[in-house]
Amino acid sequence: MLYEHMDLLESVGLDLLFAAIFFFIGMAIKDVLKQGNVPPFGRKIVWLVLFLGCFGFISKGVIQLTMEGAGIG
């Protein structure tokens, strides 16, 4: 039983880690985009991809934690 919970926490932790990595990559790209001549449309595409990646990992971790906690998954 304990190993099942450890596996769940590990996978959710990895999802949150990937979300944090996406966030920090986004902050680095923000600094680069501020200095260069990048069209505003290109900036919006970069932010959209980073936001969706970050949100995807967070939502996957939350859904997995909820389902496993309820005994469904």
Side-chain angles (χ1 to χ4, degrees):
M1 185 77 176
L2 177 64
Y3 293 113
E4 293 173 6
H5 291 294
M6 294 290 287
D7 187 41
L8 172 65
L9 291 176
E10 180 182 357
S11 63
V12 171
L14 282 174
D15 289 335
L16 295 178
L17 176 70
F18 287 141
I21 289 172
F22 265 92
F23 176 76
F24 289 125
I25 289 172
M27 290 295 108
I29 289 175
K30 181 185 109 179
D31 291 340
V32 170
L33 291 179
K34 278 175 122 178
Q35 297 171 359
N37 290 332
V38 180
F41 184 70
R43 290 180 185 172
K44 290 179 183 176
I45 289 175
V46 168
W47 281 114
L48 181 67
V49 168
L50 288 171
F51 173 74
L52 289 176
C54 216
F55 181 74
F57 279 117
I58 290 174
S59 62
K60 180 181 176 279
V62 169
I63 289 170
Q64 185 176 3
L65 184 65
T66 305
M67 288 181 67
E68 291 286 333
I72 298 171

